[in-house]
Amino acid sequence: MESHIICRNIQLTHRKYYQRLAALIRNGLIIRKGGSKKYILSSLGKVVYSNLLPIQYALDNIWKFRAIDEMKICDNSVYGDIDKIVSSLVDTLVHKEQIKEILKK
């Protein structure tokens, strides 16, 4: 994609775009491909990006995590076995296996 299209889509000035591009290169997250004007994610960039995806999922579904937390602080005498209810709620609401594992610890 060309820089002017990216700038328009994310509402950046050309100066801000190139500053951010330079920072990504400087930090090793993207690399220039073979002397052309094309850039690709570096290995480090791929790792960082793949770790940001679960965070974005959590932020997009924050209400689900709040509901799970509310169940965890409920009185056990009212609902019986809260742990089973919370586990079932996690299975129902959370669709990412990696996040399910974290929540069930």
Side-chain angles (χ1 to χ4, degrees), residues 29-104:
L29 297 175
I30 62 172
I31 52 178
R32 195 172 195 167
K33 188 175 181 179
S36 69
K37 292 183 178 182
K38 294 184 179 183
Y39 296 91
I40 59 172
L41 278 175
S42 67
S43 297
L44 175 62
K46 288 178 184 180
V47 171
V48 169
Y49 179 74
S50 68
N51 283 303
L52 286 176
L53 292 177
I55 295 169
Q56 184 63 50
Y57 174 82
L59 292 173
D60 290 343
N61 295 284
I62 197 164
W63 66 271
K64 294 178 182 181
F65 297 104
R66 288 184 177 153
I68 292 166
D69 290 340
E70 288 297 321
M71 287 303 297
K72 286 181 180 179
I73 61 174
C74 284
D75 187 12
N76 247 355
S77 63
V78 175
Y79 292 104
D81 192 7
I82 285 292
D83 293 333
K84 285 184 182 177
I85 295 171
V86 169
S87 180
S88 175
L89 197 58
V90 168
D91 288 336
T92 304
L93 294 179
V94 180
H95 303 292
K96 301 278 185 186
E97 291 300 320
Q98 179 186 14
I99 295 175
K100 280 183 188 182
E101 291 175 20
I102 292 169
L103 293 175
K104 288 186 176 185

